[in-house]
Amino acid sequence: VRVYFDNAATTPLTPSVKQAMVAVMDDVYGNASSIHNEGRRARTVIENSRKTVAKHLNCSIGEVFFTSCGTESNNTAIKCAVRDLKVTRIITSKLEHHCVLYSIARLQERTGIKVDYVEVDAQGILDYNSLEELLKQSENEKVLVSLMHANNEIGNLLKLSLVSEMCQKRGAYFHTDTVQTIGHYLFDLTKVHIDFLSGSAHKFHGPKGVGFLYINNDVQIHPFIDGGSQERNMRGGTENVIGIEGLRQAIDDAYIEYDMRRAHTSALKMAFAEKLTTITNGAVDYNGVSLEEGLYTVLSTAFPNTKGISVSGGSACSSGVESASHVLEAIDPSDLRKTVRFSFSHLNTMDEVDYVINQIETLL
Ligand SMILES: Cc1ncc(COP(=O)(O)O)c(C=O)c1O
């Protein structure tokens, strides 16, 4: 038996996504930049996908650009904001994904921009007063606020509308990494002002190697990847037509089945937590905000180092060596508990929850 509870790392393709991709593999081989029939068919696939993404985000199609992944989308937003929008100060947090943190660190090294980190409390909750204070201090500067919508390790969610309003009030650009929430939460970009937002298909049952960047119409940047005139001159490189078709089917399915998927996945997470608390006699803690408030897909469990419970893992490992999580370290460097992240999808079942709980019980 294999049980896959690592859906925050990536999700399996659903059959309908695979089917849509296979149909394109079989029939659509043109280059979308060619003007003959084969090329136009590839173009149609791409534009349908763009239309679908725009529909689900409630934005215009001209604001959606396909990329190779969430990492590229975040790199593009942050690096182009500094290069093209003349941003001189970035406000972010230590809990961001490495593709955001390292993009910013590289810019800081090379261009000398100022970087500030919003304070976080013991649960990893951002201090919005600290953000307000930092925004106030930088009134005469061009500022980019880069804060993730949901944290991939502990599942904390950002108050997106609040941060958007704060940025607007102070004239700051707002970039948000929504890689963990696209396809899992509803978006309406006519209601909340965001300058850059990023998504990655493999986090919502689409293929790996394709993502998108939403760039607000009011914002003008130049390409991050120079080349041909693809993506309306914004991102050179022959488009990943098969991947873009997979992204279309995946985002469409995610929102068509939204209520069902969300209810089922939340129920798995809550049941898992309840059972885990029971079998450990309450010895296990949960990182981040309360179970109800956090991402319904992610459960970050913290096992005490005592009480005879020995587990490990929970953060990225390189060549078998456990390295500490930068997220948990930023929250509390003295925390010695062992964290294991369980993350769920609508493809998981309650039987799998019971199976894993039983397996954990044998280790206690
Ligand atoms: C919050 C967050 N941002 C960015 C990424 C990077 O996305 P991708 O794997 O598509 O490059 C991930 C996933 O790895 C993520 O969880």
Side-chain angles (χ1 to χ4, degrees):
V1 184
R2 300 273 327 158
V3 175
Y4 187 76
F5 281 168
D6 201 10
N7 291 281
T10 194
T11 53
L13 282 187
T14 51
S16 73
V17 171
K18 182 177 162 194
Q19 206 176 10
M21 292 170 74
V22 168
V24 169
M25 269 182 227
D26 281 341
D27 294 329
V28 186
Y29 50 83
N31 184 320
S33 300
S34 308
I35 54 165
H36 46 58
N37 177 279
E38 289 81 358
R40 284 206 307 274
R41 293 181 59 198
R43 167 67 44 213
T44 302
V45 169
I46 295 170
E47 297 316 318
N48 275 339
S49 183
R50 200 186 316 280
K51 210 155 75 182
T52 305
V53 173
K55 179 179 80 181
H56 292 302
L57 299 182
N58 204 10
C59 66
S60 63
I61 48 176
E63 295 176 309
V64 177
F65 299 89
F66 292 112
T67 64
S68 68
C69 58
T71 297
E72 183 191 323
S73 299
N74 286 334
N75 268 263
T76 303
I78 293 165
K79 292 178 179 171
C80 292
V82 170
R83 190 190 63 188
D84 302 329
L85 305 176
K86 309 291 177 234
V87 161
T88 52
R89 181 170 190 165
I90 298 183
I91 301 173
T92 185
S93 88
K94 298 222 162 124
L95 312 187
E96 303 304 304
H97 191 268
H98 276 145
C99 66
V100 167
L101 286 176
Y102 293 162
S103 289
I104 294 172
R106 220 59 79 218
L107 285 167
Q108 196 176 14
E109 268 165 37
R110 288 182 196 155
T111 68
I113 54 155
K114 273 189 250 168
V115 180
D116 292 291
Y117 299 94
V118 180
E119 281 169 31
V120 297
D121 71 8
Q123 288 178 293
I125 301 173
L126 288 192
D127 179 345
Y128 294 96
N129 290 327
S130 148
L131 172 60
E132 179 67 27
E133 204 44 51
L134 291 169
L135 280 166
K136 236 189 262 174
Q137 286 168 15
S138 40
E139 220 138 11
N140 300 319
E141 289 169 282
K142 286 252 173 127
V143 176
L144 174 73
V145 171
S146 179
L147 292 170
M148 69 206 311
H149 187 205
N151 184 274
N152 49 304
E153 291 191 31
I154 59 173
N156 283 7
L157 280 157
L158 186 75
K159 292 183 180 166
L160 211 53
S161 304
L162 175 67
V163 174
S164 160
E165 281 164 24
M166 290 167 81
C167 289
Q168 278 208 288
K169 201 168 93 196
R170 300 279 171 196
Y173 295 107
F174 180 30
H175 162 246
T176 184
D177 174 350
T178 47
V179 166
Q180 288 291 339
T181 50
I182 293 286
H184 304 287
Y185 286 79
L186 300 173
F187 288 85
D188 183 346
L189 293 176
T190 62
K191 298 233 167 79
V192 46
H193 183 98
I194 291 169
D195 294 293
F196 303 99
L197 166 156
S198 39
S200 182
H202 75 96
K203 305 286 188 181
F204 50 90
H205 305 280
K208 287 149 190 68
V210 61
F212 66 85
L213 176 63
Y214 159 87
I215 308 177
N216 190 297
N217 262 335
D218 297 342
V219 172
Q220 298 295 323
I221 58 166
H222 299 294
F224 180 62
I225 300 209
D226 293 302
S229 58
Q230 292 90 355
E231 294 301 285
R232 298 185 315 293
N233 279 319
M234 191 53 81
R235 198 256 182 197
T238 300
E239 300 88 340
N240 173 4
V241 183
I242 297 159
I244 289 170
E245 169 65 1
L247 189 154
R248 180 199 64 74
Q249 188 69 49
I251 199 168
D252 218 23
D253 290 351
Y255 285 116
I256 288 166
E257 297 181 359
Y258 177 75
D259 290 331
M260 179 280 283
R261 288 187 183 190
R262 183 170 177 153
H264 178 77
T265 310
S266 309
L268 295 179
K269 169 183 160 170
M270 297 311 276
F272 189 93
E274 200 187 309
K275 288 167 199 266
L276 191 62
T277 297
T278 305
I279 62 166
T280 59
N281 291 322
V284 72
D285 287 327
Y286 301 103
N287 293 308
V289 290
S290 72
L291 299 183
E292 293 80 13
E293 286 172 301
L295 266 183
Y296 63 85
T297 48
V298 168
L299 182 68
S300 176
T301 65
F303 287 82
N305 257 356
T306 54
K307 296 194 197 288
I309 300 170
S310 40
V311 290
S312 65
S315 57
C317 298
S318 48
S319 52
V321 181
E322 237 184 283
S323 61
S325 147
H326 71 280
V327 172
L328 298 170
E329 190 143 328
I331 295 170
D332 181 2
S334 66
D335 190 354
L336 292 175
R337 294 170 310 167
K338 291 287 191 181
T339 282
V340 184
R341 180 186 68 186
F342 298 90
S343 47
F344 309 92
S345 89
H346 70 285
L347 298 176
N348 293 124
T349 64
M350 208 52 95
D351 283 346
E352 290 180 325
V353 166
D354 289 333
Y355 175 80
V356 173
I357 290 290
N358 286 337
Q359 292 296 307
I360 294 171
E361 205 168 8
T362 66
L363 302 172
L364 300 178

Short mmCIF file of all heavy atoms in Angstrom, two decimals, residues 32-66:
data_model
loop_
_atom_site.label_atom_id
_atom_site.label_comp_id
_atom_site.label_asym_id
_atom_site.label_seq_id
_atom_site.Cartn_x
_atom_site.Cartn_y
_atom_site.Cartn_z
N ALA A 32 2.72 27.48 -32.22
CA ALA A 32 1.65 28.48 -32.10
C ALA A 32 2.00 29.80 -32.80
O ALA A 32 1.12 30.61 -33.05
CB ALA A 32 1.32 28.72 -30.63
N SER A 33 3.27 30.00 -33.12
CA SER A 33 3.64 31.24 -33.82
C SER A 33 3.47 31.12 -35.33
O SER A 33 3.59 32.11 -36.05
CB SER A 33 5.09 31.60 -33.51
OG SER A 33 5.25 31.80 -32.12
N SER A 34 3.24 29.88 -35.83
CA SER A 34 3.07 29.71 -37.28
C SER A 34 1.66 30.10 -37.69
O SER A 34 0.71 29.88 -36.96
CB SER A 34 3.30 28.24 -37.68
OG SER A 34 4.52 27.77 -37.17
N ILE A 35 1.54 30.64 -38.93
CA ILE A 35 0.23 31.13 -39.33
C ILE A 35 -0.56 30.09 -40.12
O ILE A 35 -1.71 30.32 -40.47
CB ILE A 35 0.33 32.44 -40.15
CG1 ILE A 35 1.27 32.23 -41.35
CG2 ILE A 35 0.80 33.59 -39.26
CD1 ILE A 35 1.14 33.32 -42.39
N HIS A 36 0.03 28.91 -40.37
CA HIS A 36 -0.74 27.89 -41.09
C HIS A 36 -1.68 27.16 -40.14
O HIS A 36 -1.69 27.44 -38.92
CB HIS A 36 0.19 26.91 -41.83
CG HIS A 36 1.35 26.42 -41.01
ND1 HIS A 36 1.18 25.77 -39.81
CD2 HIS A 36 2.68 26.51 -41.22
CE1 HIS A 36 2.36 25.46 -39.32
NE2 HIS A 36 3.29 25.92 -40.14
N ASN A 37 -2.43 26.23 -40.70
CA ASN A 37 -3.47 25.54 -39.92
C ASN A 37 -2.93 24.89 -38.64
O ASN A 37 -3.49 25.05 -37.55
CB ASN A 37 -4.12 24.49 -40.82
CG ASN A 37 -5.17 23.69 -40.08
OD1 ASN A 37 -4.83 22.75 -39.36
ND2 ASN A 37 -6.42 24.08 -40.20
N GLU A 38 -1.80 24.18 -38.76
CA GLU A 38 -1.24 23.50 -37.58
C GLU A 38 -0.89 24.50 -36.49
O GLU A 38 -1.12 24.27 -35.29
CB GLU A 38 0.01 22.69 -37.97
CG GLU A 38 -0.27 21.45 -38.82
CD GLU A 38 -0.46 21.75 -40.30
OE1 GLU A 38 -0.42 22.94 -40.70
OE2 GLU A 38 -0.67 20.80 -41.07
N GLY A 39 -0.31 25.61 -36.90
CA GLY A 39 0.06 26.64 -35.94
C GLY A 39 -1.16 27.26 -35.29
O GLY A 39 -1.19 27.47 -34.07
N ARG A 40 -2.17 27.50 -36.11
CA ARG A 40 -3.38 28.14 -35.55
C ARG A 40 -4.08 27.23 -34.53
O ARG A 40 -4.66 27.70 -33.56
CB ARG A 40 -4.34 28.54 -36.67
CG ARG A 40 -3.87 29.81 -37.40
CD ARG A 40 -5.03 30.55 -38.03
NE ARG A 40 -5.83 29.67 -38.87
CZ ARG A 40 -5.58 29.41 -40.16
NH1 ARG A 40 -4.56 29.98 -40.75
NH2 ARG A 40 -6.35 28.60 -40.84
N ARG A 41 -3.98 25.93 -34.76
CA ARG A 41 -4.61 25.01 -33.80
C ARG A 41 -3.89 25.05 -32.45
O ARG A 41 -4.51 24.99 -31.39
CB ARG A 41 -4.63 23.60 -34.38
CG ARG A 41 -5.57 23.53 -35.59
CD ARG A 41 -5.65 22.15 -36.19
NE ARG A 41 -6.11 21.18 -35.21
CZ ARG A 41 -5.95 19.88 -35.34
NH1 ARG A 41 -5.30 19.38 -36.39
NH2 ARG A 41 -6.42 19.07 -34.44
N ALA A 42 -2.59 25.15 -32.51
CA ALA A 42 -1.82 25.28 -31.25
C ALA A 42 -2.16 26.60 -30.57
O ALA A 42 -2.35 26.67 -29.34
CB ALA A 42 -0.33 25.19 -31.53
N ARG A 43 -2.27 27.64 -31.36
CA ARG A 43 -2.63 28.97 -30.82
C ARG A 43 -3.97 28.91 -30.10
O ARG A 43 -4.16 29.46 -29.02
CB ARG A 43 -2.65 29.97 -31.99
CG ARG A 43 -3.29 31.32 -31.74
CD ARG A 43 -2.56 32.21 -30.76
NE ARG A 43 -1.13 32.21 -30.97
CZ ARG A 43 -0.22 32.34 -30.00
NH1 ARG A 43 -0.62 32.48 -28.74
NH2 ARG A 43 1.06 32.34 -30.26
N THR A 44 -4.93 28.18 -30.71
CA THR A 44 -6.26 28.07 -30.12
C THR A 44 -6.20 27.40 -28.75
O THR A 44 -6.86 27.83 -27.80
CB THR A 44 -7.19 27.26 -31.07
OG1 THR A 44 -7.21 27.95 -32.31
CG2 THR A 44 -8.59 27.14 -30.52
N VAL A 45 -5.39 26.35 -28.64
CA VAL A 45 -5.25 25.66 -27.35
C VAL A 45 -4.75 26.65 -26.29
O VAL A 45 -5.30 26.74 -25.18
CB VAL A 45 -4.26 24.46 -27.47
CG1 VAL A 45 -3.89 23.91 -26.10
CG2 VAL A 45 -4.85 23.37 -28.37
N ILE A 46 -3.74 27.40 -26.65
CA ILE A 46 -3.14 28.33 -25.68
C ILE A 46 -4.14 29.42 -25.29
O ILE A 46 -4.30 29.73 -24.10
CB ILE A 46 -1.86 28.97 -26.27
CG1 ILE A 46 -0.79 27.88 -26.48
CG2 ILE A 46 -1.33 30.09 -25.38
CD1 ILE A 46 0.41 28.34 -27.29
N GLU A 47 -4.82 29.97 -26.29
CA GLU A 47 -5.73 31.08 -25.97
C GLU A 47 -6.96 30.60 -25.19
O GLU A 47 -7.49 31.33 -24.36
CB GLU A 47 -6.10 31.86 -27.24
CG GLU A 47 -4.91 32.55 -27.91
CD GLU A 47 -3.95 33.26 -26.94
OE1 GLU A 47 -4.40 33.94 -25.99
OE2 GLU A 47 -2.71 33.12 -27.12
N ASN A 48 -7.40 29.38 -25.44
CA ASN A 48 -8.50 28.83 -24.64
C ASN A 48 -8.08 28.69 -23.19
O ASN A 48 -8.87 28.92 -22.27
CB ASN A 48 -8.93 27.45 -25.16
CG ASN A 48 -9.92 27.59 -26.29
OD1 ASN A 48 -10.57 28.63 -26.42
ND2 ASN A 48 -10.03 26.55 -27.10
N SER A 49 -6.86 28.26 -23.00
CA SER A 49 -6.35 28.09 -21.64
C SER A 49 -6.27 29.44 -20.95
O SER A 49 -6.67 29.60 -19.79
CB SER A 49 -4.99 27.40 -21.69
OG SER A 49 -4.52 27.17 -20.39
N ARG A 50 -5.77 30.44 -21.66
CA ARG A 50 -5.65 31.78 -21.08
C ARG A 50 -7.03 32.31 -20.68
O ARG A 50 -7.21 32.89 -19.61
CB ARG A 50 -4.99 32.73 -22.10
CG ARG A 50 -4.39 33.97 -21.47
CD ARG A 50 -3.86 34.97 -22.50
NE ARG A 50 -3.11 34.40 -23.59
CZ ARG A 50 -1.83 34.03 -23.53
NH1 ARG A 50 -1.16 34.19 -22.42
NH2 ARG A 50 -1.23 33.51 -24.60
N LYS A 51 -8.01 32.05 -21.58
CA LYS A 51 -9.37 32.50 -21.31
C LYS A 51 -9.92 31.82 -20.05
O LYS A 51 -10.59 32.45 -19.22
CB LYS A 51 -10.26 32.13 -22.51
CG LYS A 51 -11.39 33.06 -22.74
CD LYS A 51 -11.88 33.09 -24.17
CE LYS A 51 -12.70 31.87 -24.56
NZ LYS A 51 -13.12 31.87 -25.95
N THR A 52 -9.61 30.55 -19.89
CA THR A 52 -10.10 29.80 -18.73
C THR A 52 -9.47 30.33 -17.44
O THR A 52 -10.17 30.52 -16.44
CB THR A 52 -9.78 28.30 -18.92
OG1 THR A 52 -10.35 27.88 -20.15
CG2 THR A 52 -10.34 27.46 -17.78
N VAL A 53 -8.17 30.56 -17.46
CA VAL A 53 -7.51 31.11 -16.27
C VAL A 53 -8.12 32.46 -15.93
O VAL A 53 -8.49 32.73 -14.77
CB VAL A 53 -5.98 31.25 -16.49
CG1 VAL A 53 -5.32 31.97 -15.31
CG2 VAL A 53 -5.32 29.88 -16.70
N ALA A 54 -8.29 33.32 -16.95
CA ALA A 54 -8.83 34.66 -16.73
C ALA A 54 -10.24 34.59 -16.16
O ALA A 54 -10.61 35.36 -15.27
CB ALA A 54 -8.80 35.47 -18.03
N LYS A 55 -11.03 33.63 -16.66
CA LYS A 55 -12.40 33.48 -16.16
C LYS A 55 -12.38 33.15 -14.66
O LYS A 55 -13.12 33.72 -13.88
CB LYS A 55 -13.10 32.36 -16.94
CG LYS A 55 -14.52 32.08 -16.51
CD LYS A 55 -15.17 30.99 -17.33
CE LYS A 55 -14.72 29.61 -16.84
NZ LYS A 55 -15.27 28.50 -17.61
N HIS A 56 -11.52 32.23 -14.27
CA HIS A 56 -11.53 31.80 -12.87
C HIS A 56 -10.92 32.83 -11.92
O HIS A 56 -11.21 32.82 -10.73
CB HIS A 56 -10.84 30.44 -12.72
CG HIS A 56 -11.62 29.33 -13.36
ND1 HIS A 56 -12.92 29.06 -13.00
CD2 HIS A 56 -11.32 28.47 -14.36
CE1 HIS A 56 -13.38 28.05 -13.74
NE2 HIS A 56 -12.42 27.68 -14.57
N LEU A 57 -10.06 33.69 -12.45
CA LEU A 57 -9.49 34.75 -11.59
C LEU A 57 -10.30 36.03 -11.70
O LEU A 57 -10.08 36.98 -10.95
CB LEU A 57 -8.04 35.04 -11.99
CG LEU A 57 -7.02 33.91 -11.91
CD1 LEU A 57 -5.64 34.40 -12.31
CD2 LEU A 57 -6.97 33.32 -10.50
N ASN A 58 -11.22 36.07 -12.64
CA ASN A 58 -11.98 37.28 -12.98
C ASN A 58 -11.04 38.44 -13.31
O ASN A 58 -11.11 39.51 -12.71
CB ASN A 58 -12.97 37.65 -11.87
CG ASN A 58 -14.12 38.48 -12.42
OD1 ASN A 58 -14.27 38.62 -13.63
ND2 ASN A 58 -14.93 39.04 -11.53
N CYS A 59 -10.18 38.19 -14.28
CA CYS A 59 -9.29 39.25 -14.77
C CYS A 59 -9.38 39.25 -16.30
O CYS A 59 -10.12 38.44 -16.87
CB CYS A 59 -7.85 38.99 -14.31
SG CYS A 59 -7.09 37.51 -15.01
N SER A 60 -8.66 40.12 -16.97
CA SER A 60 -8.73 40.09 -18.43
C SER A 60 -7.66 39.15 -18.99
O SER A 60 -6.63 38.91 -18.35
CB SER A 60 -8.64 41.50 -19.01
OG SER A 60 -7.40 42.05 -18.71
N ILE A 61 -7.94 38.63 -20.19
CA ILE A 61 -7.02 37.63 -20.76
C ILE A 61 -5.64 38.23 -20.99
O ILE A 61 -4.64 37.52 -20.91
CB ILE A 61 -7.57 37.01 -22.07
CG1 ILE A 61 -8.07 38.09 -23.02
CG2 ILE A 61 -8.67 36.00 -21.80
CD1 ILE A 61 -8.53 37.55 -24.36
N GLY A 62 -5.60 39.53 -21.22
CA GLY A 62 -4.31 40.19 -21.46
C GLY A 62 -3.43 40.27 -20.22
O GLY A 62 -2.29 40.72 -20.29
N GLU A 63 -3.97 39.84 -19.10
CA GLU A 63 -3.20 39.91 -17.86
C GLU A 63 -2.58 38.56 -17.47
O GLU A 63 -1.94 38.45 -16.44
CB GLU A 63 -4.10 40.42 -16.72
CG GLU A 63 -4.57 41.85 -16.96
CD GLU A 63 -5.54 42.36 -15.89
OE1 GLU A 63 -6.54 41.66 -15.62
OE2 GLU A 63 -5.32 43.45 -15.35
N VAL A 64 -2.83 37.53 -18.30
CA VAL A 64 -2.35 36.18 -17.96
C VAL A 64 -1.21 35.78 -18.89
O VAL A 64 -1.37 35.80 -20.12
CB VAL A 64 -3.51 35.16 -18.07
CG1 VAL A 64 -3.01 33.75 -17.78
CG2 VAL A 64 -4.67 35.53 -17.15
N PHE A 65 -0.08 35.42 -18.32
CA PHE A 65 1.09 35.01 -19.10
C PHE A 65 1.53 33.63 -18.65
O PHE A 65 1.75 33.41 -17.45
CB PHE A 65 2.23 36.02 -18.90
CG PHE A 65 1.87 37.40 -19.37
CD1 PHE A 65 1.25 38.30 -18.50
CD2 PHE A 65 2.09 37.79 -20.68
CE1 PHE A 65 0.88 39.57 -18.93
CE2 PHE A 65 1.73 39.06 -21.12
CZ PHE A 65 1.11 39.95 -20.25
N PHE A 66 1.69 32.71 -19.60
CA PHE A 66 2.15 31.37 -19.23
C PHE A 66 3.65 31.36 -19.04
O PHE A 66 4.40 32.05 -19.76
CB PHE A 66 1.72 30.35 -20.28
CG PHE A 66 0.23 30.16 -20.30
CD1 PHE A 66 -0.54 30.59 -21.38
CD2 PHE A 66 -0.41 29.60 -19.20
CE1 PHE A 66 -1.92 30.45 -21.37
CE2 PHE A 66 -1.80 29.46 -19.17
CZ PHE A 66 -2.54 29.89 -20.26
#
